[in-house]
Amino acid sequence: MGQRAAARNGRSRRRSRRNTGRRRPTGPILLLGVCLALMSVGAGAALAHWRGGPPPAEAADGTDVAPLMSQDPAPEPSASPSPSPSAGSSPKPKPKPSPSPSAKSEPPSVPASGPGTFTVAQSSGTAAGTGTLRRYKVEVEDGIDVSAQQAAAEIQQILAHPRGWAANGRGRFQLVSSNADFVIRIATPATADKLCLAVGLNTRGELNCETTEGVVVNLRRWLLGSPTFAGTPAEYRHLIINHEVGHEIGIRQHMGCPGPGEPAPVMMQQIKGLKGCVSNAWPYDDDGTYLSGPPV
């Protein structure tokens, strides 16, 4: 009994020493710890890829793979500063803005009426052409913003043109400021109608005419030209002067179109339609041939 008791006491002391020491992890527990560590590393790598790497991959069915979420999302990338031009380079020119519709040039406004009084152009010149001397003066209705001096200079050039009346033996024309044989007046539509109606001509606020005193030019035609004339208003003024002065020198009858594609005679009322002709502002062509048509 004493030996057995002693043996039992020895075994009890050895077990007590083993129980007081640290136990080593068993196999299943160790395997579980390794798996948890690997999952932590994989989640961290995936989160880093979503924040700073390329966009998420696309699944086979075309839908985006949902990114991993984070408690503190990465900050928005700041915009890159615009590069400043170097000392040896010039900045790119900015494109010019397209002009707005309001920037387009508008036709000049034409007053419908005026006071009926006129300013005489105080200018004179030498006679141009050959034949009978015809002195003329230019008057412009007051308050219409047309210079009498400038209008007179323009008319003087028209009458002395190589394709005009003076250059082709139909008279000598001289600009004067007094003692004129006839007068060329530029008047508002209402005043022009009144002057033309005095000789029985109804110009309807649109047309020019020739009276016993001379030529009446409708301001609307002087400034705007004609919708049937293929040229600028300045070119149409040539037709106005040549047509009305043609009446002044004795050509009483109007002419029609001589044929399709032919230049319209200057004595044709081109504002009423060209009838197949081409608009023309001169009584003669470059060869000095008179441009005529059938009488109307």
Side-chain angles (χ1 to χ4, degrees):
M1 290 296 291
Q3 290 179 347
R4 291 178 180 175
R8 285 196 299 271
N9 290 336
R11 287 194 296 270
S12 298
R13 285 193 294 269
R14 285 194 296 270
R15 283 196 299 270
S16 177
R17 285 195 298 268
R18 285 196 298 270
N19 291 337
T20 58
R22 179 181 295 176
R23 292 185 178 182
R24 294 180 180 179
T26 61
I29 296 174
L30 178 62
L31 181 60
L32 178 60
V34 171
C35 291
L36 289 174
L38 291 175
M39 290 175 65
S40 176
V41 172
L47 181 60
H49 176 79
W50 172 66
R51 285 185 175 179
E58 193 172 72
D61 62 356
T63 58
D64 290 337
V65 177
L68 298 175
M69 299 304 295
S70 172
Q71 296 294 329
D72 53 345
E76 293 286 337
S78 59
S80 301
S82 300
S84 58
S86 61
S89 63
S90 57
K92 294 182 179 180
K94 295 182 179 180
K96 296 182 179 179
S98 300
S100 59
S102 61
K104 295 180 180 180
S105 59
E106 298 292 335
S109 59
V110 180
S113 61
T117 59
F118 292 83
T119 294
V120 179
Q122 298 299 316
S123 54
S124 60
T126 58
T130 58
T132 304
L133 177 62
R134 291 182 171 90
R135 296 170 298 177
Y136 65 94
K137 65 179 178 178
V138 174
E139 297 181 356
V140 173
E141 188 171 4
D142 297 324
I144 65 172
D145 199 26
V146 172
S147 167
Q149 300 295 111
Q150 292 179 0
E154 190 170 354
I155 292 170
Q156 187 178 30
Q157 291 178 353
I158 293 171
L159 290 176
H161 193 275
R163 292 179 61 187
W165 299 116
N168 291 274
R170 301 301 293 265
R172 295 165 59 218
F173 297 92
Q174 182 180 11
L175 174 64
V176 296
S177 57
S178 60
N179 299 322
D181 297 308
F182 68 98
V183 59
I184 299 175
R185 291 191 176 104
I186 301 174
T188 60
T191 302
D193 284 350
K194 183 179 179 179
L195 295 173
C196 296
L197 191 59
V199 294
L201 300 174
N202 182 8
T203 48
R204 304 184 303 279
E206 295 289 339
L207 305 177
N208 315 294
C209 75
E210 188 253 344
T211 69
T212 55
E213 292 183 338
V215 173
V216 176
V217 178
N218 188 306
L219 179 64
R220 180 173 284 116
R221 301 279 71 84
W222 184 264
L223 293 179
L224 304 181
S226 166
T228 63
F229 186 82
T232 64
E235 294 171 330
Y236 188 70
R237 294 169 198 162
H238 302 168
L239 175 58
I240 294 173
I241 298 303
N242 286 320
H243 182 96
E244 301 303 337
V245 170
H247 288 314
E248 186 66 29
I249 63 176
I251 304 174
R252 313 310 306 172
Q253 193 161 13
H254 288 130
M255 298 179 182
C257 176
E262 297 292 325
V266 78
M267 298 311 298
M268 179 179 177
Q269 291 179 297
Q270 297 182 38
I271 194 173
K272 295 183 178 181
L274 296 174
K275 313 300 182 184
C277 272
V278 178
S279 57
N280 163 60
W282 302 102
Y284 297 87
D285 64 13
D286 291 331
D287 297 330
T289 302
Y290 181 59
L291 300 172
S292 63
V296 174

